[in-house]
Amino acid sequence: MAQETGEPLDLSNPRYWRQNAQMAIRDIYDALVEIVTNADDRYVFLKRRSGRIELEVERRRKGTPNLIRVRDFADGMTLEVMRTKLRRVGDRVSGMEKGERVRGTNSRGAKDVAWLGGVAFESIAGDGMYHKCEITPQGRFIPDSTCPCDPDPHRARLKIVDGTGTVVTVQVDSEVVRVPQHDTLREDFSRLVALRDILSSPDREIVLYDSNNPGRSHTIRAPMAEGADRVNERFKVPGHGDVEAKLVIRRAKERLEDQRPRFRLGGILVKSKHAIHEATLFAPDLESDPYAKWFYGRLTCEHIDDLWNEYDDRFEKGLPPTEDNPRPILDPLRKEGLSREHPFVEALFREALKRLRPLVEAERKQAESQRASIESDDTRRRLRALEKAAAKFMSENREVDEIARDADDTLPDSSFQKRGFSLNPPFARVLVGRSVRFWLNVRQDAFPELAPGDTVEIASATDEVRVSRPFVALECHPRREGVLRCVWTVKGERPSNATGIKVRVGKIVADSTIEVLESEKDLYRDITRFCFSRKRYSVQVDSRRTVVLYAPIPGVVSRPTSFEITCTDKGFKLEGDPCLVPRPNVGIAECRLRVSASQAGRIAQLRAAFEAHTCEAELVSVDPLGATIEIVLDPGDYGNQRSFWRGNELHIATRHPSVRRYLGPGPKYPGQEEVYFRVLLAEIVADAVCARLLGRNETIRPEEYTDSDWDAYYAEYTAMMTRFLPIAHETQVKM
């Protein structure tokens, strides 16, 4: 590589640091992982056989920062060491660069937590003196000018009665991040994937204290799944010489259901020399596969650290990356685990998947065999009818977001079900000389007096817009039984901030607001910063959704500008080039990306950033309209759960006491032919379908439920049950 000329980039702007810190530290758990692993790294570096780490949480009144203290009893830090390790971001000072078995890589985690509200580091170091520094939420390093000094006045407060140690105190702004209650924090902290080895090691003692309740403390140990080995072998990673990895896969005694990636007990832990980077099932389809939920284990490969160090070594020497190691193998923010685009990771995970997938398929075949032994032919026929009815009801009653609704008039919304009609779109923007499509849908059961051929009157509020037809006849909807509709267009004639149309037919009176814009540039006049086009995007499984980002020109960008985009959930996949492309004729730069989802019911945050500019949007994954539903008579014992969803599979727990008594004993389960069981089955399915539907609607359009209390929720639930329960009964019991 030719010797570089010029000056290094000035990265000293604190906004740049804060933007990255916010992406790295999302909540209290991220902060605790960074501080606890730093303490553990120090014990490892010192080669101590045992080490104690104490966590104290002090919850304060609203408006006052909560406090989190993490205390270790390692060798402490002098003020000079604090300057070396805490004042600069990005240095290689953890020991990994020398081959030590530690987690630290980027010298940033301890600083990033400061954005929560500030962080203080206090140490009694090996020189026998007290040392202190602070990092402010604005990214300022402040050494205590009175240090070093006599440690004795500080020992009682720090609870380091003798010897050396460090206390890290994080102030947590309650307006920025919530601190969970003690029991929730204890449970979730114990399940953190990144801390699994630390919390299960006999050489570590981790104690959590509740400062608001003196004497309330718990020693935290990681919960461990019980199971038997199915794979336990070492293998060479193809294409990478003699590099080896060790894979252990176990089949759990009970299915591991927790889907939260950071806290899951299932999945295969991926570990390098010391750090656990993620828990994964190696393929998106397995992440949502109920039969993969039986498996857990560990994939260990020390070469991961070697590749990380090699990449950094070459960068520092001014050498280009190698073909085998073209990019950092780890996510610097530690949110995505290993880089799926890295060739070594691709080869490593491919070999592991070869060993895991056959186990999942064997589990599937066994379960299908057990299910077949329960269901008679008549039961399966009735279940198919109930599946079809449930899928149709959910499709017709599920809320969708505004863009999806605007794209297809067949898509229903919650107001359509409540009022019996809907006029779409409720608000529109149209350019002068162009037209926008409108439609009215009417439920015949809500308005039985209306029939095909009845005339709908459409009137413009002002002459700034013109309707294509002032009178339109209702017709049967081509794809929805029991629904009438009519369709027309409205053309923009002259600019107007607020005009609209009014629609009348029978008892129905509805209106829609329209803004008429003079030019396409006016569509983007409100774009004053880097932003997503929407705050929330819903993504249907097995399809792709366009995500759009804007930035004004020349205010924010003036040329094609790349940015970094991350997603907090690997269940979503982003495609496209993250680059803002200027459109000078309309005054904005634009980027269009595509996002897909592997499983319904997931919520994630999209974060985009470049220089000092950041923006966020929420992703919600939903089942496709008309998605099939499979009802499974599950032979498992699931405690209090009578039914539960796994993707689009609705499992009925046949060993639940309320089900077992009507199903009868095996192997033929004679009760399934009795009317009692069939009615019970219809009731269980109706309850599960309506509960899920209500939850999905709230997820898609939470603003409609902001003021809802339990009575309001229950009223909507019972209204759904009233409509669907007779349909469910009809599939099981013919009158």
Side-chain angles (χ1 to χ4, degrees):
M1 175 181 285
Q3 184 174 359
E4 294 187 358
T5 61
E7 300 177 2
L9 292 174
D10 183 355
L11 304 178
S12 61
N13 190 316
R15 288 185 299 170
Y16 178 76
W17 162 80
R18 185 179 174 88
Q19 155 209 308
N20 283 279
Q22 288 175 312
M23 296 175 70
I25 305 296
R26 298 165 295 182
D27 55 24
I28 295 306
Y29 299 105
D30 283 342
L32 288 174
V33 165
E34 292 299 335
I35 301 171
V36 169
T37 53
N38 284 349
D40 176 73
D41 279 355
R42 201 60 202 165
Y43 285 129
V44 171
F45 185 83
L46 296 171
K47 296 180 171 54
R48 291 196 182 175
R49 289 287 301 169
S50 62
R52 179 181 173 93
I53 301 172
E54 298 178 347
L55 286 64
E56 293 181 4
V57 180
E58 182 178 342
R59 298 170 181 84
R60 296 173 161 186
R61 294 180 179 177
K62 188 174 182 179
T64 305
N66 299 306
L67 297 180
I68 295 180
R69 302 181 186 90
V70 180
R71 180 182 300 107
D72 69 60
F73 303 90
D75 56 342
M77 294 183 286
T78 64
L79 197 55
E80 189 58 34
V81 172
M82 290 179 179
R83 289 180 186 275
T84 300
K85 292 190 174 184
L86 301 175
R87 185 172 178 270
R88 286 173 52 85
V89 175
D91 287 343
R92 303 172 67 194
V93 295
S94 69
M96 180 185 283
E97 74 283 358
K98 300 176 182 177
E100 296 287 348
R101 308 177 76 85
V102 296
R103 177 180 184 270
T105 58
N106 298 308
S107 187
R108 57 173 296 178
K111 299 97 163 161
D112 286 346
V113 301
W115 90 267
L116 299 175
V119 59
F121 298 84
E122 299 175 87
S123 275
I124 300 175
D127 63 356
M129 305 297 285
Y130 168 81
H131 305 264
K132 179 183 179 182
C133 73
E134 297 181 41
I135 301 175
T136 71
Q138 292 73 38
R140 306 291 296 178
F141 176 86
I142 303 175
D144 190 326
S145 59
T146 67
C147 296
C149 60
D150 183 4
D152 289 343
H154 302 280
R155 285 191 179 276
R157 177 178 58 84
L158 296 179
K159 298 181 182 178
I160 302 175
V161 295
D162 56 32
T164 57
T166 298
V167 176
V168 181
T169 303
V170 184
Q171 294 192 73
V172 182
D173 186 342
S174 60
E175 299 297 323
V176 174
V177 169
R178 185 180 67 89
V179 176
Q181 293 301 309
H182 181 82
D183 289 338
T184 301
L185 180 61
R186 178 186 64 176
E187 174 67 20
D188 285 345
F189 181 80
S190 71
R191 298 170 68 95
L192 280 165
V193 167
L195 299 182
R196 188 69 47 80
D197 280 356
I198 296 174
L199 294 175
S200 58
S201 171
D203 296 334
R204 295 290 176 267
E205 183 182 11
I206 316 294
V207 183
L208 174 64
Y209 294 91
D210 183 356
S211 295
N212 300 89
N213 293 278
R216 188 184 190 193
S217 65
H218 294 88
T219 298
I220 309 298
R221 307 298 294 176
M224 303 300 290
E226 294 185 37
D229 284 4
R230 292 295 179 84
V231 172
N232 191 337
E233 66 172 284
R234 299 188 70 88
F235 61 82
K236 289 186 177 181
V237 181
H240 295 272
D242 292 329
V243 173
E244 287 190 339
K246 182 176 181 181
L247 177 64
V248 176
I249 302 177
R250 297 186 175 95
R251 200 270 190 186
K253 289 184 177 180
E254 298 182 358
R255 202 188 309 247
L256 303 170
E257 295 296 342
D258 199 334
Q259 295 302 305
R260 296 178 299 168
R262 288 187 294 169
F263 307 97
R264 67 192 298 185
L265 294 183
I268 311 301
L269 300 175
V270 180
K271 182 179 179 180
S272 52
K273 290 181 180 178
H274 186 66
I276 294 175
H277 301 288
E278 60 177 299
T280 180
L281 291 169
F282 305 116
D285 64 304
L286 293 189
E287 293 292 349
S288 58
D289 191 324
Y291 303 104
K293 301 297 189 297
W294 289 101
F295 298 101
Y296 69 104
R298 183 174 299 247
L299 174 63
T300 305
C301 182
E302 297 190 357
H303 190 60
I304 294 170
D305 286 355
D306 297 335
L307 290 172
W308 176 266
N309 282 329
E310 177 195 277
Y311 187 90
D312 275 351
D313 289 342
R314 294 184 68 86
F315 177 80
E316 290 180 351
K317 295 174 182 177
L319 299 173
T322 64
E323 184 177 349
D324 291 340
N325 194 17
R327 59 187 299 151
I329 193 170
L330 305 177
D331 169 23
L333 299 178
R334 295 193 182 278
K335 296 293 167 286
E336 302 300 324
L338 301 190
S339 169
R340 297 304 195 271
E341 291 76 27
H342 196 288
F344 180 79
V345 177
E346 291 180 358
L348 177 67
F349 282 12
R350 186 167 53 247
E351 285 302 299
L353 188 58
K354 288 180 181 178
R355 291 150 174 84
L356 175 61
R357 194 177 288 280
L359 301 179
V360 176
E361 293 307 314
E363 198 71 37
R364 191 190 320 279
K365 290 180 181 179
Q366 181 179 0
E368 289 173 353
S369 175
Q370 290 177 334
R371 283 159 48 188
S373 69
I374 296 177
E375 298 175 6
S376 68
D377 291 342
D378 285 343
T379 296
R380 176 36 52 191
R381 176 180 53 78
R382 289 190 294 268
L383 287 178
R384 281 196 292 268
L386 186 51
E387 290 165 354
K388 184 177 180 181
K392 180 181 179 183
F393 183 79
M394 293 187 75
S395 174
E396 293 179 349
N397 289 272
R398 195 190 73 194
E399 180 63 279
V400 298
D401 68 24
E402 293 172 2
I403 285 183
R405 186 187 304 122
D406 290 351
D408 188 345
D409 73 289
T410 65
L411 301 182
D413 58 24
S414 59
S415 64
F416 178 70
Q417 298 302 326
K418 294 173 184 176
R419 297 190 299 168
F421 71 92
S422 64
L423 171 61
N424 285 307
F427 170 78
R429 305 176 85 186
V430 59
L431 299 179
V432 171
R434 297 187 186 180
S435 298
V436 63
R437 181 172 179 263
F438 282 79
W439 59 91
L440 175 71
N441 286 340
V442 180
R443 277 181 29 223
Q444 284 186 288
D445 61 346
F447 295 91
E449 69 276 15
L450 297 180
D454 286 351
T455 299
V456 179
E457 180 184 357
I458 307 162
S460 303
T462 69
D463 60 4
E464 279 90 3
V465 293
R466 178 165 55 88
V467 299
S468 59
R469 292 183 289 174
F471 300 99
V472 185
L474 287 172
E475 60 184 9
C476 292
H477 198 290
R479 290 176 292 279
R480 297 182 60 192
E481 185 178 349
V483 176
L484 301 174
R485 78 158 187 184
C486 59
V487 181
W488 67 97
T489 61
V490 176
K491 183 178 181 181
E493 297 288 343
R494 294 193 306 277
S496 174
N497 290 331
T499 181
I501 58 171
K502 187 176 289 292
V503 176
R504 291 184 175 90
V505 57
K507 299 177 182 179
I508 297 174
V509 179
D511 52 37
S512 178
T513 302
I514 302 173
E515 182 181 11
V516 184
L517 305 174
E518 187 169 11
S519 68
E520 187 179 0
K521 189 172 184 178
D522 291 331
L523 286 171
Y524 306 105
R525 65 192 176 200
D526 297 328
I527 305 297
T528 59
R529 60 183 180 84
F530 183 41
C531 63
F532 286 92
S533 62
R534 294 173 56 79
K535 293 182 179 179
R536 181 187 303 110
Y537 298 91
S538 67
V539 184
Q540 292 184 10
V541 174
D542 298 329
S543 65
R544 294 188 298 172
R545 178 72 185 273
T546 300
V547 172
V548 186
L549 296 97
Y550 298 124
I553 57 173
V556 173
V557 299
S558 57
R559 60 177 60 88
T561 303
S562 296
F563 58 88
E564 180 182 17
I565 187 163
T566 59
C567 181
T568 58
D569 190 328
K570 295 177 184 176
F572 294 92
K573 181 181 179 181
L574 286 166
E575 299 176 359
D577 182 17
C579 180
L580 291 162
V581 179
R583 298 178 59 195
N585 60 317
V586 295
I588 56 101
E590 180 182 81
C591 175
R592 291 178 174 267
L593 303 173
R594 304 285 278 174
V595 62
S596 57
S598 61
Q599 180 183 10
R602 305 184 82 101
I603 300 176
Q605 292 296 318
L606 270 183
R607 293 186 177 93
F610 70 95
E611 297 176 353
H613 305 284
T614 63
C615 59
E616 294 188 1
E618 187 174 73
L619 293 178
V620 179
S621 61
V622 297
D623 292 321
L625 289 173
T628 59
I629 292 173
E630 183 177 0
I631 300 171
V632 176
L633 298 183
D634 194 312
D637 185 353
Y638 299 96
N640 294 327
Q641 288 184 279
R642 193 170 64 165
S643 68
F644 52 91
W645 290 93
R646 290 199 180 105
N648 265 19
E649 290 184 350
L650 175 58
H651 288 241
I652 310 298
T654 59
R655 294 177 63 184
H656 189 279
S658 68
V659 180
R660 185 174 55 200
R661 66 173 300 189
Y662 295 106
L663 184 58
K668 294 186 177 181
Y669 304 98
Q672 65 185 293
E673 306 300 337
E674 300 293 333
V675 69
Y676 310 107
F677 176 76
R678 287 186 261 160
V679 169
L680 175 65
L681 188 62
E683 296 276 346
I684 294 173
V685 171
D687 170 73
V689 165
C690 292
R692 189 183 214 198
L693 188 56
L694 183 58
R696 293 270 175 93
N697 288 349
E698 182 188 12
T699 298
I700 296 297
R701 294 185 67 78
E703 64 276 6
E704 291 193 3
Y705 296 86
T706 301
D707 299 324
S708 297
D709 56 15
W710 166 249
D711 290 337
Y713 276 107
Y714 190 68
E716 187 168 350
Y717 164 80
T718 54
M720 288 184 181
M721 285 286 285
T722 300
R723 295 198 301 273
F724 181 58
L725 200 51
I727 300 172
H729 280 164
E730 177 67 18
T731 67
Q732 301 301 299
V733 182
K734 300 293 184 181
M735 300 299 292

